[in-house]
Amino acid sequence: MQTPLIGRSFSLIEKVGLLAILAATLFAGFSEVRQMVVAGHAGVSDLLLLFMYLELISMVEVYWSAGKLPVRMPLYIAMVALARHMLVDQQLPALDLLGTAVAILLLAVAVVVVRYGHLKLPYRDAIDSRHLS
């Protein structure tokens, strides 16, 4: 049985961790923007990196407000990261390029499966909350 003090302690640790993730993501994002300004240009890989930072910020916000993390969000970030990897590493062997593309496809299928599962097989508490409203 969990005491209220332990529960609050874990909640505080969780909030501090989320703030640390948010601060690190903001720092990395601003550093990337500064590098783009200094370089005088922004490539597609730079924009994909900024998009990943925005997704991380969104993930922190969702977790902060709901206390739950949708599985799809990390899958989206992974797909963008793999696409960026394909763009940045221009010298990828054909087999590695194909493997990365297949990995993105598998992640996209996972997103569809998870989304379908949430729609057709909702969690029990989600069903109960729909009947209450």
Side-chain angles (χ1 to χ4, degrees):
M1 185 163 141
Q2 187 174 336
T3 65
L5 179 61
I6 292 174
R8 284 190 302 235
S9 298
F10 281 131
S11 179
L12 178 64
I13 291 168
E14 182 179 63
K15 299 292 186 194
V16 168
L18 286 171
L19 287 174
I21 292 168
L22 179 61
T25 304
L26 289 172
F27 178 78
F30 287 128
S31 295
E32 183 66 24
V33 169
R34 185 180 53 79
Q35 286 178 353
M36 285 186 289
V37 169
V38 168
H41 73 282
V44 174
S45 64
D46 298 320
L47 298 175
L48 287 173
L49 186 59
L50 291 177
F51 180 74
M52 286 189 316
Y53 291 144
L54 285 174
E55 282 294 317
L56 285 168
I57 291 168
S58 175
M59 214 164 63
V60 168
E61 189 274 328
V62 166
Y63 194 81
W64 184 286
S65 61
K68 297 177 186 175
L69 183 62
V71 174
R72 288 178 292 155
M73 294 184 91
L75 294 175
Y76 296 144
I77 293 170
M79 286 190 298
V80 173
L82 287 171
R84 184 177 183 277
H85 173 66
M86 289 172 70
L87 287 171
V88 170
D89 289 340
Q90 296 288 325
Q91 304 301 322
L92 278 177
L95 197 55
D96 289 354
L97 193 62
L98 180 63
T100 305
V102 169
I104 293 171
L105 179 64
L106 289 174
L107 287 167
V109 169
V111 168
V112 170
V113 168
V114 167
R115 183 69 180 138
Y116 179 82
H118 284 170
L119 290 174
K120 298 297 181 182
L121 305 166
Y123 296 118
R124 187 80 204 144
D125 59 347
I127 294 171
D128 294 340
S129 67
R130 272 192 251 150
H131 290 297
L132 294 175
S133 50

